[in-house]
Amino acid sequence: MTGLIVFVLLVAVAMFVLGCMDQRTVYWKTRAWQYRNPEANEPSDAALAAGRAGTFAGAVALLVTAGVLLGVENARTYSTAQVSSVAHAAASRLDEGPSSGIGSSFGTMSDIYDAVNDEGGGNVHIRSAGGDKYELTNRKGKNPVCLTVTVDNELDLGGGEPWSHSVTTSVDDGPC
């Protein structure tokens, strides 16, 4: 998204520079070659002024577009409080009870990644920090929060449900 914003700003600057140039010179350098008799097709002063005004209006519109894109980009970059909120929501979702696959190390990681992605809407990145710890950051890799997920597995050979487990989570601000 940053590349798009820079591109829009560069085009806006180019349009502004083009609008500041002598419009008659611009006509002779860019469009006169199309006509067999360019002097007879030379635009009037009013047409040149309207072209200049349109170029400036286009540059302003592109600057506004760049501002809107920058606002959207900043809105998608979560603060520490927002990353922490996503971590707490994912933790409570994992604490709610068994879900498919939880209880094995692969299933646990898959469930954790799914919970964080669902709660964060793709605006929070997650990486394993070793052991039971997972570090959550915003899209730019900043504002870290540590999510700890511990799975206690119990094998009960005498009961009705031979395999059970419990999930314990905690969230701490800062890196793991």
Side-chain angles (χ1 to χ4, degrees), residues 4 38 92 126 128 146:
L4 178 62
S92 77
I126 181 172
S128 177
C146 186

Side-chain angles (χ1 to χ4, degrees), residues 64-94:
V64 169
T65 301
V68 168
L69 289 173
L70 185 62
V72 167
E73 177 70 14
N74 288 338
R76 291 178 51 191
T77 303
Y78 280 13
S79 66
T80 303
Q82 290 170 312
V83 174
S84 181
S85 174
V86 168
H88 283 287
S92 77
R93 180 172 157 182
L94 292 168

Side-chain angles (χ1 to χ4, degrees), residues 78-130:
Y78 280 13
S79 66
T80 303
Q82 290 170 312
V83 174
S84 181
S85 174
V86 168
H88 283 287
S92 77
R93 180 172 157 182
L94 292 168
D95 283 338
E96 284 177 1
S99 62
S100 62
I102 204 155
S104 67
S105 60
F106 177 76
T108 301
M109 276 190 3
S110 174
D111 288 336
I112 294 167
Y113 280 84
D114 289 344
V116 169
N117 285 329
D118 290 347
E119 298 296 333
N123 292 317
V124 175
H125 291 199
I126 181 172
R127 70 169 185 82
S128 177

